[in-house]
Amino acid sequence: QRAAEDALYETILRTRQVYDEDSGTNFKADAGVMVVLDVETGGVKAMASWPDYDPRWYVKGLTNGQACYLGYDTKCQGANEVAPLLNRAYQEVYLPGSTFKPFTALAAVKEGYANLGTSYECPPVYVHPGDESGADFENWSDSNLGYLSIAESLIKSCDTNFYEWGSDFWFRY
């Protein structure tokens, strides 16, 4: 548990050092979550949410600083807006989205739909050729991001490349 909490905190600190060319600032990285599962049983081995707090604060009552940190008093200067009382591991809902992209890329390479030495266009919308369902799959960006390798597609989070590879699997049979 301690290793998961430490790794999450260190990752947040490292992420804050990454410069985002689109915004012209470093990434904010003000919250995060880590869940470690046993691959054989699916059981939870560790679960960490950040920011966190010390529950012992409630034993003698919160100080003004602790109440501000926890977000109880939003009038405090520097009041915490990222909700440390919210355990993101089980009190939030997140779309799986990009968490599956590395697996989709690996499967696409393994099955021959993609190649590590090739670049792929990253358009704002993907529609599978011949699909008459009317389903348009939109990228997070409404502009064409150009041609990207698989690694660049992961880095820039090109949704449409992964939609295309996933669609290739779906329509394969």
Side-chain angles (χ1 to χ4, degrees), residues 135-146:
D136 292 350
F137 296 95
E138 297 181 4
N139 197 6
W140 64 269
S141 171
D142 57 0
S143 61
N144 189 320
L145 298 179

Side-chain angles (χ1 to χ4, degrees), residues 54-111:
D54 187 341
R56 294 176 294 184
W57 292 350
Y58 287 99
V59 174
K60 293 184 179 179
L62 299 174
T63 66
N64 287 341
Q66 291 165 340
C68 286
Y69 173 78
L70 293 173
Y72 284 123
D73 187 352
T74 57
K75 296 178 191 132
C76 299
Q77 184 174 1
N80 199 338
E81 297 176 4
V82 293
L85 291 173
L86 176 68
N87 188 314
R88 288 160 172 79
Y90 61 87
Q91 291 178 311
E92 269 295 356
V93 177
Y94 297 100
L95 296 173
S98 296
T99 60
F100 285 99
K101 286 179 181 172
F103 304 106
T104 303
L106 179 63
V109 169
K110 184 178 179 290
E111 295 298 317

Side-chain angles (χ1 to χ4, degrees), residues 6-18 27 29:
D6 292 346
L8 175 59
Y9 182 66
E10 290 167 12
T11 300
I12 285 177
L13 292 179
R14 277 196 316 273
T15 303
R16 289 176 176 174
Q17 303 304 311
V18 176
F27 285 120

